Amino acid sequence: MAGPGGDMQWCFSQVKGAIDDDVAEADIISTVEFNHTGELLATGDKGGRVVIFQQEIENKNPPQFRSEYNVYSTFQSHEPEFDYLKSLEIEEKINKIRWLPQKNAAQFLLSTNDKTIKLWKISERDKRPEGYNLKEEDGRYKDPNTITSLRVPVLIPMDLMVEASPRRVFANAHTYHINSISVNSDNETYLSADDLRINLWHLEITDRSFNIVDIKPANMEELTEVITAAEFHPHQCNTFVYSSSKGTIRLCDMRASALCDKHSKLFEEPEDPSNRSFFSEIISSISDVKFSHNGRYMMTRDYLSVKIWDLNMENRPVETYQVHEYLRSKLCSLYENDCIFDKFECCWNGNDSVVMTGSYNNFFRMFDRGHRRDVTLEASRENSKPMQVLKPRKVCAGGKRKKDEISVDSLDFNKKILHTAWHPQDNIIAVATTNNLYIFQDKVI
Amino acid sequence: RASEQNTEEKMISPEKAEEAKLKARYPNLGNKPGGSDLLRKRLQKGQKYFDSGDYNMAKAKIKNKQLPTAAPEKTEITGDHIPTPQDLPQRKTSLVTSKLAG
């Protein structure tokens, strides 16, 4: 796959997490997100914890560019709750993390579980005051009678301490389960979306939010589709999109009306009715939608494919990439083991030329839009020697299996890569397996 | 010409073949593909039903016999199954640091 200046060769850089096979549920990674500069990488897990890694660059000069992501901060973002009124168990699992663009020395991120969004401030402390008049160094108060002179406390350097504190809690605005949050380009508002509604918040105001989309039918028996993902346009602060379980994407303009139930654009690919099966709707359900960085395209992920849409063309995608078409003849068992409901995410590289998404057996796929090439790579401990180049993998759909190919029936469906992230500028990617985080980089950066 | 036509008729898409397999295993599967049942199941995630009155009455009725457990059916949405202490989720362990930070 060619990138600027030659073929991209992905090398192992780091892996985070425990090696043992016995995975505790709390350790299941549920979200991965780089911040806007790529210096910070955040993960959220099923146990409600957030771990932030910071990039430390060892060698700036290409082609020997080397960096390492090391733990910067870790905190408990959400805790399990029980809504007694509704007899509802609220999981602490972090569904999404979104970073705010940096405005001052501190970093801010939004993290959300099924019901509550929190704004976390992550700040550094590298100085501490010393020389109080009324207190000893260990904090004990001095006997005032022993004080004979006054001094001015001074700030002295100390070991870097990174502190995370919850600055806002946005609660009680969602009846259904939150699947997405998205920060507006205006840097003042953000949206949160659940299965049936989308709310608009102001980052400073926690006691109220505006409902901007409501698709709840008057009679729940008439429910035919739910909201699966939503995102603000990267530059147009009035525009956002939301995807549905029926494979449609609606683009809405907040200038048109207060309630954006009526879409401005409806993106849907026509389906051949003769091909329709019991599985059609399930596999057309969109699990993720992401705008390109340039704001001209959006990408959607459904069970078997990735589609690129031109915002100016509603009737069909401009590009469609098959992620694992060989699974089409396994849909029956994938329905029985619930894998057909797995929600894969997708992401763009910095210049929107390559897109990436995960698959099973710890495989992940990259599609080079310009060069019409794609590759399947694997995140595994077996390929984890420093700077080891990843070998492309191939799945044999049927017939004679070649050496080095893996047959569909040998794929491990418990090893899913649902979450991947691409550094905003460089060819560095973060790939989450069930409980491990892999970081890969291009051999030549 | 006739033989070509016959072959084409016999070729079913892999998706439809899978559908036939599923319908053979679950004849009760509704004709609403991906419809209300699945969606409502999704919306009800996390719902726990427990009424101590129902529980004690059910226990008294059955006396020494074991309480019936729910059949794991794909179409079942509401719980008419009375939870037993074995069914209730174990108390979660105390919060520990993520292994990613280790």
Side-chain angles (χ1 to χ4, degrees):
Chain A
M1 183 170 350
D7 279 5
M8 269 201 271
Q9 275 199 302
W10 290 98
C11 303
F12 171 84
S13 176
Q14 296 169 274
V15 61
K16 308 277 183 193
I19 300 178
D20 55 75
D21 278 334
D22 193 17
V23 182
E25 251 199 67
D27 292 325
I28 295 173
I29 299 172
S30 50
T31 186
V32 182
E33 187 83 356
F34 280 101
N35 76 338
H36 294 267
T37 60
E39 188 208 348
L40 299 176
L41 175 60
T43 61
D45 65 22
K46 224 174 172 213
R49 302 162 301 190
V50 171
V51 182
I52 301 174
F53 302 92
Q54 183 186 45
Q55 187 184 35
E56 276 155 35
I57 298 179
E58 287 150 34
N59 185 333
K60 263 197 278 197
N61 310 309
Q64 295 95 2
F65 180 90
R66 288 290 175 276
S67 76
E68 231 184 36
Y69 279 86
N70 300 313
V71 179
Y72 179 66
S73 172
T74 174
F75 54 93
Q76 186 77 37
S77 172
H78 287 71
E79 296 191 16
E81 287 174 63
F82 197 88
D83 181 339
Y84 298 100
L85 206 58
K86 297 182 188 159
S87 237
L88 249 191
E89 195 171 54
I90 301 168
E91 265 194 300
E92 67 276 34
K93 170 165 79 86
I94 309 294
N95 292 335
K96 288 276 153 55
I97 288 173
R98 290 289 182 263
W99 290 92
L100 268 57
Q102 193 174 13
K103 277 201 273 203
N104 53 37
Q107 299 279 357
F108 289 87
L109 61 78
L110 286 171
S111 73
T112 187
N113 69 348
D114 282 341
K115 296 285 178 178
T116 305
I117 307 127
K118 294 188 185 181
L119 177 70
W120 286 89
K121 175 180 180 180
I122 296 111
S123 46
E124 293 185 357
R125 191 196 291 266
D126 61 0
K127 295 185 251 299
R128 64 179 176 84
E130 201 182 63
Y132 286 109
N133 289 291
L134 298 176
K135 273 199 278 194
E136 302 285 2
E137 288 315 314
D138 62 8
R140 280 179 303 143
Y141 279 97
K142 283 184 181 166
D143 176 357
N145 299 319
T146 61
I147 297 167
T148 52
S149 62
L150 279 180
R151 58 182 173 169
V152 177
V154 290
L155 290 174
I156 58 159
M158 61 179 251
D159 285 340
L160 179 66
M161 207 164 76
V162 182
E163 300 169 325
S165 60
R167 303 304 285 175
R168 307 268 187 280
V169 178
F170 305 91
N172 303 318
H174 286 278
T175 307
Y176 302 98
H177 301 108
I178 298 173
N179 52 56
S180 312
I181 46 174
S182 179
V183 184
N184 199 343
S185 53
D186 69 7
N187 221 343
E188 285 189 344
T189 59
Y190 74 95
L191 63 75
S192 58
D194 67 31
D195 292 313
L196 298 178
R197 299 192 177 103
I198 302 180
N199 293 329
L200 181 70
W201 302 84
H202 191 286
L203 285 164
E204 300 286 329
I205 299 168
T206 58
D207 63 355
R208 100 195 73 144
S209 71
F210 289 102
N211 175 244
I212 53 177
V213 173
D214 189 339
I215 65 167
K216 184 177 181 197
N219 182 358
M220 282 298 269
E221 300 282 322
E222 290 162 26
L223 182 68
T224 54
E225 69 184 317
V226 293
I227 297 169
T228 52
E231 195 180 51
F232 265 120
H233 189 277
H235 316 133
Q236 294 164 19
C237 57
N238 52 286
T239 304
F240 66 93
V241 292
Y242 68 93
S243 58
S244 85
S245 53
K246 274 186 156 176
T248 63
I249 310 101
R250 286 172 176 82
L251 183 141
C252 302
D253 187 333
M254 296 196 293
R255 297 169 302 187
S257 68
L259 194 57
C260 296
D261 276 0
K262 216 169 134 213
H263 54 260
S264 297
K265 293 193 185 186
L266 174 65
F267 297 83
E268 187 173 15
E269 184 168 25
E271 196 201 3
D272 180 358
S274 63
N275 279 339
R276 200 161 171 80
S277 76
F278 174 82
F279 303 112
S280 299
E281 194 173 303
I282 303 173
I283 61 172
S284 73
S285 176
I286 293 170
S287 49
D288 195 15
V289 64
K290 292 264 170 52
F291 278 104
S292 60
H293 291 95
N294 62 21
R296 291 173 48 207
Y297 299 94
M298 65 178 173
M299 164 168 52
T300 56
R301 175 69 155 97
D302 51 71
Y303 191 61
L304 298 177
S305 67
V306 159
K307 295 179 181 173
I308 312 280
W309 303 78
D310 183 323
L311 294 185
N312 295 315
M313 188 156 74
E314 297 167 64
N315 60 356
R316 60 179 171 82
V318 288
E319 292 150 45
T320 299
Y321 301 104
Q322 301 302 335
V323 181
H324 37 218
E325 179 66 15
Y326 46 79
L327 296 184
R328 201 179 286 270
S329 52
K330 300 284 169 195
L331 292 177
C332 180
S333 35
L334 292 168
Y335 177 84
E336 289 180 297
N337 63 20
D338 273 353
C339 283
I340 205 175
F341 301 107
D342 284 337
K343 298 184 177 61
F344 292 94
E345 290 173 10
C346 53
C347 61
W348 298 84
N349 74 337
N351 62 14
D352 299 331
S353 59
V354 184
V355 297
M356 168 168 65
T357 190
S359 179
Y360 294 105
N361 209 69
N362 282 349
F363 287 172
F364 57 101
R365 305 264 285 134
M366 284 187 191
F367 302 96
D368 185 331
R369 302 173 62 210
H371 298 90
R372 304 199 169 283
R373 281 192 267 185
D374 62 86
V375 72
T376 303
L377 299 170
E378 181 181 1
S380 96
R381 292 260 175 186
E382 282 159 21
N383 308 319
S384 54
K385 286 200 278 289
M387 293 313 284
Q388 178 178 359
V389 176
L390 296 185
K391 214 173 61 160
R393 312 290 274 132
K394 195 143 189 332
V395 177
C396 170
K400 201 154 178 233
R401 186 179 73 89
K402 295 197 191 98
K403 176 176 174 282
D404 280 356
E405 281 186 359
I406 177 162
S407 81
V408 183
D409 295 310
S410 312
L411 294 174
D412 188 340
F413 290 96
N414 290 317
K415 294 192 175 163
K416 325 172 195 242
I417 290 180
L418 303 173
H419 313 286
T420 59
W422 206 307
H423 187 287
Q425 278 111 37
D426 300 328
N427 280 342
I428 299 173
I429 55 177
V431 174
T433 59
T434 306
N435 65 327
N436 283 178
L437 182 73
Y438 286 79
I439 298 170
F440 301 106
Q441 68 166 77
D442 192 3
K443 205 171 174 75
V444 174
I445 289 195
Chain B
R1 243 15 64 99
S3 60
E4 267 173 23
Q5 266 182 337
N6 279 336
T7 322
E8 269 179 39
E9 273 161 11
K10 281 194 183 129
M11 269 169 57
I12 314 171
S13 76
E15 214 174 294
K16 291 235 163 113
E18 290 295 296
E19 180 181 30
K21 242 194 262 176
L22 193 68
K23 293 223 156 123
R25 283 185 212 177
Y26 304 99
N28 292 327
L29 213 50
N31 278 325
K32 307 181 269 178
S36 286
D37 280 357
L38 277 170
L39 289 181
R40 280 192 286 147
K41 197 164 122 177
R42 176 191 172 132
L43 296 180
Q44 283 187 334
K45 174 189 128 186
Q47 199 88 38
K48 303 283 175 215
Y49 296 99
F50 185 77
D51 184 308
S52 58
D54 287 346
Y55 174 70
N56 285 308
M57 279 178 64
K59 230 166 70 164
K61 237 185 253 183
I62 297 177
K63 288 182 194 172
N64 293 324
K65 278 194 251 161
Q66 264 225 314
L67 283 172
T69 49
E73 271 178 46
K74 280 237 173 275
T75 49
E76 183 176 25
I77 306 163
T78 56
D80 55 3
H81 152 62
I82 312 289
T84 60
Q86 301 93 287
D87 297 338
L88 294 174
Q90 294 300 310
R91 186 188 174 281
K92 294 199 177 179
T93 54
S94 309
L95 307 168
V96 290
T97 318
S98 164
K99 296 202 180 103
L100 290 183

